[in-house]
Amino acid sequence: MALHWSRSRSGNTFGLPILRPLHSKILILDHGSQYTQLLARRVRELDVYCEIHPFHAAAQFAGDPSVKGVILSGSPASVFDQGAPDTDLGGLQGKVPVLGVCYGAQLLAKRAGGEVGRSTTREYGRALLDNIFVQQPLFAEIHPGTQVWMSHGDSILAASAGMEVLAGTHSVAVAAFRIRGEDTFGVQFHPEVYHSTDGMQLLRNFVIGICGCAQDHSPKAFVEEAVEGLRQQLGQDQVVLALSGGVDSSVAAVLLQRAIGDRLHCIFVNNGLLRKGEFAQVLESYRGMGLNVKGVDASAQFLAALKGLEEPEDKRKAIGRTFIEVFDAEAKRIAGVKWLGQGTIYPDVIESVSVKGPSVTIKSHHNVGGLPARMNLKVVEPLRSLFKDEVRRVGRTLGLDPAILGRHPFPGPGLGIRILGEVTAEKVALLQEVDHIYVNALREAGQYDKVWQAGAILLPVRSVGVMGDERTYENAVALRAVSSTDGMTADWCHLPYELLARISNSIINQVKGVNRVVYDISSKPPATIEWE
């Protein structure tokens, strides 16, 4: 059966549009909730495609035949705040099913004439739905007493005549409702979080049962459609892509290769800030995958650009600027290149557009919006609609080497942001040895695949020690290991004490210049995964 392709509406907001088939989708309108990405991930887990857009972009989807339903996210705002998100649902509400979550539910209730007010007692955390109107399709197979997660300062105090109450708790009379005569629903709780026991069932009831979405967003279908779309988009053009050794760029490269073969030219740059032996190892892996790849060792150029720099943002910008210079020079050696391939993924895209304009910069992103005009290339991003876990599943479908798919995320600036303060060749060599001992120990202990990301940090402090009955005054290093799904939040890993002791002993005995090892037990938030 022939596929019918269209340009994604997200192209107007996020960059060059991508050709993709007209699948049914759920539109998630973001009001700034910390859980919005989690909401999207839960819908994707149902094998249903969804997109996140700022609440003020709702009107552009009115009449879009691919939109089968709308979910309104929560928000840190109150519906009574001046300038609070006020979503225009014209052309959507009453035409397709709508589900408001927390703030979204309060907004729908207020518009329907319900009474919304400040909670007399702020309900936060676990609650039980004591009363459920189980005949309603939204609550199919969900029974009274089910646990949900509440997080709200406002409450729906009373329903209007145009609202039908579907559920309540002992302290919230209107925990869920329906607008009479419409498939428009609101829930005061967060079904997307783990603590809502039947949250996935409720989302399934809405997305599949009420909206009637097809469960066709699978890795196999994505690969087939992405390859066909790339062929149509790129024609006979030449494409250049920078490989990093990581999951995203590797999967993007294999997808592009499936579509255009050797018209894809891959460049793997050694910035001198990679892990020990990584440049040769990864380059060999890529060649074994049949990719058309060239390795470029520009270590000296990067170290020269970092000389004298201590501030994290200064270092990131110097590394990014140098990479562009090296990559641009190599790309110009390839005749007829018209496209730049990138491994941009969905969180990169979402974080580049906030609900009220540009997001606050915590650190510079290298994935979105960093292409100098002088390169005069169009951008193709085959993974920009996928979350990290989806990228890995696509990679498995493509048959990528498990060693690459299972590789821990590694920052674009590499060890340059794991060396706090100025970066020198001597510090890089020292940290490479520390990191090598640490990561190999995790592998040998069977812990590597249980950890989402691990790395060592060279601290800008020295400490007193005693080695061989002599006083030492040498470097301290910190070890970091976190568990996460997509890096948006992370918790520190509880590695066995015996393993940490062995690692510390090995590092201090084998790496000259280190006499102290500490372990980072900070979670994200409030800390970030990387120290810089």
Side-chain angles (χ1 to χ4, degrees):
M1 182 176 70
L3 292 170
H4 299 282
W5 298 81
S6 70
R7 292 195 179 273
S8 166
R9 289 179 181 269
S10 63
N12 295 331
T13 305
F14 299 134
L16 190 74
I18 299 171
L19 292 170
R20 70 161 156 260
L22 282 171
H23 277 302
S24 62
K25 70 183 172 203
I26 294 294
L27 174 64
I28 298 177
L29 296 174
D30 183 21
H31 298 111
S33 170
Q34 62 178 321
Y35 298 132
T36 301
Q37 285 201 37
L38 183 57
L39 198 52
R41 289 172 53 78
R42 293 291 182 254
V43 174
R44 298 277 185 95
E45 286 172 19
L46 296 170
D47 292 330
V48 173
Y49 183 69
C50 67
E51 290 181 0
I52 298 173
H53 290 272
F55 72 93
H56 49 70
Q60 75 183 67
F61 292 93
D64 184 336
S66 68
V67 175
K68 302 302 181 185
V70 178
I71 299 178
L72 307 179
S73 84
S75 174
S78 163
V79 292
F80 301 106
D81 290 345
Q82 185 175 3
D86 190 17
T87 307
D88 176 9
L89 290 173
L92 291 169
Q93 186 174 344
K95 306 286 177 54
V96 296
V98 176
L99 173 65
V101 174
C102 199
Y103 176 91
Q106 294 157 10
L107 186 64
L108 291 172
K110 184 168 178 278
R111 288 179 176 174
E115 183 184 352
V116 180
R118 299 288 186 183
S119 302
T120 52
T121 57
R122 189 171 187 268
E123 191 168 36
Y124 181 84
R126 296 172 177 85
L128 302 179
L129 293 185
D130 301 320
N131 305 300
I132 298 177
F133 190 2
V134 293
Q135 285 78 14
Q136 280 289 337
L138 188 66
F139 284 94
E141 299 186 39
I142 301 175
H143 304 290
T146 188
Q147 177 180 284
V148 295
W149 183 262
M150 297 282 191
S151 179
H152 57 94
D154 292 345
S155 287
I156 303 165
L157 304 177
S160 68
M163 297 166 59
E164 182 180 11
V165 178
L166 304 184
T169 73
H170 77 285
S171 58
V172 175
V174 187
F177 65 88
R178 179 178 186 170
I179 303 297
R180 296 184 189 277
E182 297 179 11
D183 280 333
T184 299
F185 305 86
V187 293
Q188 182 64 79
F189 51 91
H190 286 274
E192 69 272 27
V193 304
Y194 171 78
H195 303 293
S196 290
T197 310
D198 292 312
M200 277 299 289
Q201 181 62 45
L202 186 141
L203 290 173
R204 178 186 296 274
N205 291 342
F206 178 74
V207 170
I208 298 171
I210 296 171
C211 298
C213 287
Q215 293 176 275
D216 56 4
H217 182 64
S218 67
K220 183 175 183 293
F222 176 86
V223 169
E224 292 172 354
E225 294 162 1
V227 168
E228 178 62 26
L230 289 167
R231 284 174 180 156
Q232 293 193 35
Q233 184 178 9
L234 302 174
Q236 296 300 309
D237 292 347
Q238 306 285 321
V239 179
V240 64
L241 179 141
L243 288 171
S244 67
V247 175
D248 302 336
S249 68
S250 301
V251 174
V254 175
L255 269 176
L256 284 162
Q257 184 201 42
R258 288 271 182 101
I260 63 172
D262 282 348
R263 284 183 284 112
L264 171 68
H265 305 268
C266 300
I267 298 172
F268 182 34
V269 176
N270 182 9
N271 57 12
L273 306 169
L274 302 174
R275 286 171 162 156
K276 182 179 179 180
E278 189 170 37
F279 181 58
Q281 293 166 7
V282 173
L283 195 57
E284 187 59 33
S285 295
Y286 282 141
R287 285 173 177 152
M289 292 160 56
L291 290 174
N292 179 17
V293 59
K294 178 181 180 181
V296 179
D297 188 353
S299 305
Q301 196 169 332
F302 280 88
L303 287 171
L306 287 165
K307 188 177 172 104
L309 301 182
E310 295 187 357
E311 289 298 315
E313 275 299 288
D314 291 342
K315 291 193 294 183
R316 283 179 178 272
K317 288 173 181 175
I319 292 168
R321 184 172 56 249
T322 306
F323 176 82
I324 290 294
E325 291 170 358
V326 173
F327 185 77
D328 188 29
E330 291 299 326
K332 285 177 177 173
R333 299 177 195 273
I334 304 167
V337 170
K338 295 184 179 179
W339 296 84
L340 172 70
Q342 289 189 326
T344 308
I345 62 174
Y346 204 36
D348 300 327
V349 174
I350 297 165
E351 289 169 13
S352 70
V353 179
S354 72
V355 297
K356 291 187 177 179
S359 300
V360 173
T361 298
I362 297 174
K363 58 188 179 182
S364 297
H365 262 296
H366 63 279
N367 300 71
V368 178
L371 183 65
R374 72 173 186 270
M375 291 188 73
N376 196 30
L377 297 176
K378 295 179 284 187
V379 178
V380 56
E381 299 168 315
L383 306 178
R384 67 180 287 122
S385 68
L386 301 183
F387 286 102
K388 175 73 82 172
D389 56 321
E390 293 177 307
V391 173
R392 285 198 167 98
R393 289 200 294 272
V394 166
R396 282 193 288 272
T397 300
L398 289 166
L400 261 73
D401 184 345
I404 289 180
L405 288 179
R407 183 179 183 264
H408 287 179
F410 191 61
L415 300 181
I417 58 167
R418 290 184 178 175
I419 296 170
L420 306 194
E422 185 180 6
V423 178
T424 65
E426 293 74 23
K427 290 179 181 179
V428 171
L430 184 150
L431 189 56
Q432 283 177 331
E433 292 298 329
V434 171
D435 181 86
H436 183 68
I437 291 170
Y438 180 31
V439 171
N440 279 354
L442 291 177
R443 292 187 191 279
E444 291 167 3
Q447 293 289 331
Y448 184 85
D449 291 333
K450 299 177 183 178
V451 172
W452 192 76
Q453 183 171 339
I457 299 94
L458 179 60
L459 305 179
V461 296
R462 290 191 292 168
S463 68
V464 173
V466 178
M467 301 175 75
D469 294 326
E470 293 183 3
R471 177 185 182 277
T472 62
Y473 189 51
E474 295 181 337
N475 296 288
V477 295
L479 305 181
R480 183 80 158 131
V482 298
S483 58
S484 181
T485 300
D486 54 19
M488 301 303 296
T489 61
D491 197 10
W492 62 279
C493 290
H494 295 242
L495 296 177
Y497 292 149
E498 296 80 6
L499 175 59
L500 288 172
R502 288 200 304 274
I503 293 170
S504 174
N505 190 58
S506 296
I507 290 171
I508 291 171
N509 285 338
Q510 296 176 37
V511 183
K512 186 176 181 180
V514 176
N515 69 356
R516 190 174 300 271
V517 177
V518 298
Y519 188 57
D520 183 348
I521 57 170
S522 309
S523 296
K524 176 187 179 181
T528 53
I529 295 175
E530 299 293 343
W531 280 43
E532 288 191 343

